[in-house]
Amino acid sequence: MKFNKKELTQDTYYVGVNDRTKARFEDIIPLTYGVAYNSYLIMDEKTALMDSVDVCMGDLFIDKLLSTLDGRTLDYLIINHIEPDHSGAIRTLRQHYPNVQIIGNKKTLSMLDGFYGMTDNILEIKDGETISLGKHELTFILTPMVHWPETMMTYDSLTQTIFTGDAFGAFGALDGGVLDTELDLDRVWDEMYRYYANIVGKYGVQVQKAFGKLSKYDIKMICSTHGPVWTAHKDKAMEIYNQLSKGEAAKGVVIVYGSMYGNTEIMAEAVAQGLREEGIRNVIIHNASKSDDSFILRDIFKYKGLVIGSTTYNGDLHPCIKNIVAKIENRGIKNKEFAYFSSFSWGNVADKMLKEFAEKTKWNTVEFTVSEKMGVKKEGYQSAIQLGKELAKQLQD
Ligand code: FEO
């Protein structure tokens, strides 16, 4: 199959692919709208490819690359990020271009050996080093732990384009366009939040360090390995990553509850009512048994307020709440305005565990809580409304 070339900027082409087949990213996170594995080709006196794609899309990727190279050879493969969704096709690539030189930092090349047993025809680069393709001079910027140890970025000074690996990425296939100006971005922003929360969210400190390094570069175009190529909307994309990595969030509240027979759910609704009555407009309720964790985490990162409600189950938290609490702790999420409530039938364990969780997080927690035994009674219902109101006041301060 011969594809048309897709030029993004001078000598720089898109050769990525869309995956609408895979159910879950990393076999964990639902791909509601698919995902793009982006790869870019610069064709100067030398040709250089930025990252490759998942092995499942290898043949299609090679067809796109062959079409764009149009008879020219491939001189370099630059690996900004070696996670297999961007490196799985390297073996296939080398079958087509056996002389391609693979460029990466020390950690990348160690992983290249570890994952694929490749040690020949490689070039190790260090932070700040450059190579010239002719007119295009590429600078390598090491940005470790955004979100793997080897992650780095590559800056092309001629076109002021930065190839960022996963940074500034989003879930979602690219439907018809590649540039942000070619796409309807409404869905993309949500998928960017979900991507950040689930993939990069644990590494806010390292993202901030990367921002520090990027500050000396003039950037016109951002080429991530997932999601749109950012041009007109690059500032917004960067600002979302900047705010999320600093733990800044929008005014609003996420209520996550785990209920068995609906009593904890009634309390969740009552808390939401209290929030609304005090003027909080953005209130999102997630039933932890139904909403996928990736969407719950997205909203927790996005909004300043969080309420968790759990029934006691087998002397523990509701299993779905236990799971989401563990994911919050794993990511070390900061700066929340927090409230919690619980229910039980005989032993009130959920209240104790949520209290311990609140203390561990060091979040700003509403001082009172509600815990109902068996069915929700009038007083407990009113207290849940009051809990929402107290949290709303905390958010207004
Ligand atoms: Fe898209 Fe971290 O791989």
Side-chain angles (χ1 to χ4, degrees):
M1 167 74 196
K2 174 90 173 166
F3 288 93
N4 290 347
K5 289 181 181 181
K6 174 71 178 173
E7 188 168 21
L8 302 172
T9 183
Q10 185 181 346
D11 310 322
T12 306
Y13 300 86
Y14 182 79
V15 289
V17 294
N18 288 305
D19 183 350
R20 298 184 184 85
T21 306
K22 193 177 267 91
R24 288 177 181 265
F25 193 72
E26 299 174 341
D27 239 5
I28 300 168
I29 301 156
L31 289 170
T32 317
Y33 308 107
V35 68
Y37 311 118
N38 296 336
S39 173
Y40 306 92
L41 178 68
I42 302 174
M43 294 209 289
D44 197 350
E45 288 167 30
K46 296 278 188 183
T47 59
L49 183 69
M50 301 288 161
D51 294 301
S52 72
V53 304
D54 193 285
V55 67
C56 67
M57 309 300 286
D59 279 355
L60 179 60
F61 166 64
I62 293 293
D63 269 356
K64 287 195 166 186
L65 185 59
L66 286 165
S67 301
T68 307
L69 279 166
D70 201 16
R72 291 191 63 183
T73 192
L74 182 64
D75 296 303
Y76 301 119
L77 166 66
I78 295 167
I79 302 178
N80 288 313
H81 182 28
I82 202 169
E83 191 165 4
D85 54 329
H86 310 294
S87 64
I90 290 180
R91 280 198 182 122
T92 314
L93 185 75
R94 269 217 159 157
Q95 284 167 5
H96 285 266
Y97 299 102
N99 297 320
V100 64
Q101 188 169 39
I102 300 180
I103 297 177
N105 62 61
K106 189 174 181 180
K107 285 177 185 159
T108 314
L109 298 178
S110 157
M111 290 172 138
L112 185 69
D113 183 14
F115 277 111
Y116 306 108
M118 288 182 186
T119 54
D120 61 313
N121 203 9
I122 57 175
L123 175 65
E124 183 185 325
I125 54 83
K126 294 196 167 48
D127 192 25
E129 263 185 47
T130 59
I131 63 161
S132 175
L133 303 180
K135 299 189 293 293
H136 295 257
E137 185 169 277
L138 305 180
T139 304
F140 304 106
I141 307 158
L142 269 60
T143 53
M145 294 316 300
V146 179
H147 63 125
W148 271 32
E150 91 302 354
T151 44
M152 69 176 199
M153 301 185 187
T154 301
Y155 179 71
D156 181 347
S157 54
L158 183 71
T159 58
Q160 298 182 321
T161 298
I162 189 151
F163 302 90
T164 57
D166 283 348
F168 312 114
F171 291 128
L174 302 175
D175 294 345
V178 173
L179 295 159
D180 53 2
T181 48
E182 298 170 325
L183 297 161
D184 179 354
L185 297 179
D186 286 354
R187 189 180 80 191
V188 174
W189 299 124
D190 272 350
E191 286 294 78
M192 178 182 250
Y193 277 102
R194 192 162 72 99
Y195 186 85
Y196 182 90
N198 288 278
I199 306 297
V200 189
K202 186 176 167 67
Y203 306 101
V205 172
Q206 291 86 348
V207 172
Q208 279 298 304
K209 281 187 186 162
F211 268 112
K213 283 185 144 182
L214 294 186
S215 61
K216 68 177 183 181
Y217 296 92
D218 290 323
I219 295 170
K220 269 194 187 152
M221 179 179 279
I222 298 173
C223 294
S224 171
T225 43
H226 301 289
V229 169
W230 299 110
T231 56
H233 301 275
K234 71 177 170 48
D235 291 343
K236 180 170 176 180
M238 289 177 92
E239 190 50 27
I240 289 173
Y241 264 67
N242 186 31
Q243 285 180 350
L244 291 174
S245 59
K246 285 196 286 192
E248 293 176 4
K251 192 168 163 186
V253 177
V254 183
I255 302 170
V256 189
Y257 71 87
S259 190
M260 291 166 66
Y261 296 107
N263 289 298
T264 315
E265 183 179 18
I266 289 170
M267 295 166 81
E269 297 266 13
V271 173
Q273 188 184 328
L275 285 159
R276 295 267 187 202
E277 284 175 11
E278 284 297 321
I280 302 296
R281 230 175 126 247
N282 289 320
V283 179
I284 295 171
I285 301 180
H286 282 292
N287 175 355
S289 296
K290 188 157 180 287
S291 294
D292 183 83
D293 293 347
S294 68
F295 291 89
I296 298 173
L297 284 169
R298 175 196 67 188
D299 292 335
I300 289 174
F301 269 84
K302 190 170 182 180
Y303 293 109
K304 183 87 177 151
L306 173 63
V307 182
I308 296 181
S310 179
T311 188
T312 295
Y313 185 88
N314 273 350
D316 205 334
L317 291 170
H318 184 290
C320 299
I321 292 295
K322 194 174 173 74
N323 179 44
I324 204 76
V325 160
K327 289 189 172 178
I328 291 168
E329 287 182 337
N330 173 271
R331 283 160 179 78
I333 297 174
K334 294 184 177 61
N335 303 335
K336 292 290 160 204
E337 301 294 330
F338 183 59
Y340 64 91
F341 60 91
S342 56
S343 70
F344 65 103
S345 293
W346 57 96
N348 187 2
V349 179
D351 177 68
K352 178 174 164 282
M353 295 191 81
L354 287 173
K355 182 171 188 284
E356 285 170 4
F357 168 70
E359 286 166 357
K360 238 193 283 180
T361 59
K362 299 193 168 49
W363 290 339
N364 192 20
T365 302
V366 172
E367 278 183 6
F368 85 95
T369 183
V370 195
S371 195
E372 276 292 79
K373 186 170 183 179
M374 301 177 193
V376 182
K377 268 72 77 183
K378 189 178 168 189
E379 196 179 319
Y381 174 67
Q382 295 301 335
S383 295
I385 293 174
Q386 191 57 33
L387 189 70
K389 289 186 175 180
E390 292 297 325
L391 181 61
K393 283 179 202 153
Q394 225 169 264
L395 279 160
Q396 312 284 18
D397 290 344

